[in-house]
């Protein structure tokens, strides 16, 4: 997969904020999917040597049957500290290395993190989507910002996630009686479509199969 990187990677929070502010307006919140969707991918990260080495994993699955088609791993020195709200600067460089290795180009990438459900509306899923110029979805395990109404226990139930009067995502129950996930637009996809694809990618467990497989690769020893 060919990567056309948009910017140099910052070393300070101030530089990172400037990049987020400059890229946030490039996020497309409407569907630009290539139909029919044939491949979905998950990306995830692990860290080695006390966090000094980043280990990025990509898993490409066929859609809708969710069979593994291709995987890749990439390693590089970690160049940005762990700071909430700046996950993309710590993780995307290695993720891009892993994506460069794959030959099967996914139609959608599901990220283990936020999209526009982010203080500056540019979480890792949106940041990656803008760099790649392709559809991405944020599927986070925990809430970063926003509030929502009480969510029913049944699978498929969801409530809008609201921040400063704006709908920035959805709190989605992917399995009955299990904690929800937090879905948000990454890039080139609307929220309702993102919810539909997340549900299609979670036939058995709380997390999408894309995330589960990428996570196993990223954390394997």
């Amino acid at each position: 997969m060919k990567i056309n990187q948009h910017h140099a990677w910052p070393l300070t929070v101030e530089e990172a904020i400037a990049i987020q502010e400059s890229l946030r307006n490039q996020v497309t919140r409407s569907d630009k999917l290539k139909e029919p969707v044939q491949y979905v991918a998950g990306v995830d990260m692990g860290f080695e040597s006390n966090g000094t080495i980043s280990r990025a994993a990509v898993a490409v699955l066929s859609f809708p049957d969710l069979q593994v088609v291709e995987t890749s791993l990439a390693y590089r020195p970690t160049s940005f500290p762990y700071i909430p709200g700046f996950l993309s600067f710590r993780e995307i460089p290695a993720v891009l290395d892993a994506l460069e290795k794959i030959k099967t180009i996914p139609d959608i990438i599901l990220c283990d993190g936020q999209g526009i459900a982010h203080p500056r509306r540019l979480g890792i899923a949106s940041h990656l989507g803008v760099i790649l110029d392709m559809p991405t979805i944020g599927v986070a395990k925990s809430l970063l910002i926003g509030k929502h109404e009480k969510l029913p226990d049944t699978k498929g139930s969801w409530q809008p996630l609201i921040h400063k009067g704006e709908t920035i995502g959805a709190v989605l129950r992917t399995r009955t009686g299990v904690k929800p996930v937090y879905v948000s637009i990454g890039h080139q996809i609307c929220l309702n479509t993102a919810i539909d694809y997340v549900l299609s990618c979670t036939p058995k467990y709380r997390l999408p199969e894309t995330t589960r497989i990428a996570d196993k690769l990223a954390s394997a020893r």
Side-chain angles (χ1 to χ4, degrees):
M1 182 175 180
K2 186 177 180 180
I3 307 296
N4 296 313
Q5 190 165 307
H6 283 215
H7 58 76
W9 293 101
L11 297 177
T12 69
V13 168
E14 291 75 18
E15 292 171 341
I17 290 174
I19 290 171
Q20 289 175 334
E21 295 289 356
S22 69
L23 294 183
R24 59 185 287 179
N25 292 328
Q26 296 183 33
V27 173
T28 298
R29 302 186 183 192
S30 57
D31 290 341
K32 284 194 172 182
L33 300 171
K34 294 179 181 178
E35 301 282 359
V37 170
Q38 294 181 296
Y39 301 104
V40 291
V43 297
D44 206 351
M45 292 291 299
F47 294 91
E48 301 180 2
S49 302
N50 295 318
T52 61
I53 301 296
S54 300
R55 174 186 177 129
V58 175
V60 182
L61 280 61
S62 56
F63 186 86
D65 56 337
L66 304 177
Q67 299 300 304
V68 177
V69 174
E70 187 178 357
T71 63
S72 71
L73 284 170
Y75 301 80
R76 70 153 58 197
T78 306
S79 59
F80 201 87
Y82 174 78
I83 305 172
F86 299 93
L87 183 69
S88 61
F89 298 99
R90 181 174 172 86
E91 298 191 356
I92 286 182
V95 167
L96 294 177
D97 291 344
L99 285 168
E100 279 190 311
K101 295 182 177 183
I102 63 171
K103 296 179 180 179
T104 307
I105 309 302
D107 299 296
I108 307 173
I109 297 179
L110 285 73
C111 298
D112 182 24
Q114 312 289 348
I116 65 168
H118 179 276
R120 286 167 295 282
R121 306 297 186 259
L122 197 90
I124 186 169
S126 296
H127 196 163
L128 184 64
V130 169
I131 288 175
L132 298 175
D133 189 29
M134 66 183 300
T136 55
I137 302 172
V139 189
K141 295 187 284 290
S142 59
L143 179 68
L144 179 61
I145 58 169
K147 296 182 179 181
H148 60 88
E149 299 294 330
K150 185 177 179 181
L151 187 65
D153 281 341
T154 53
K155 177 175 180 173
S157 300
W158 66 276
Q159 288 286 346
L161 182 63
I162 309 295
H163 181 249
K164 295 184 177 180
E166 179 185 6
T167 298
I168 58 169
V171 187
L172 173 65
R173 190 86 67 186
T174 53
R175 188 178 178 193
T176 299
V178 173
K179 289 192 300 182
V181 295
Y182 300 86
V183 177
S184 56
I185 293 167
H187 186 49
Q188 297 182 358
I189 196 165
C190 74
L191 183 58
N192 285 335
T193 303
I195 291 168
D196 288 344
Y197 276 103
V198 171
L199 284 172
S200 295
C201 291
T202 53
K204 296 181 181 179
Y205 303 100
R206 178 193 177 209
L207 298 178
E209 289 300 291
T210 46
T211 300
R212 285 179 6 92
I213 294 167
D215 176 70
K216 289 180 180 179
L217 290 167
S219 56
R221 292 292 183 268

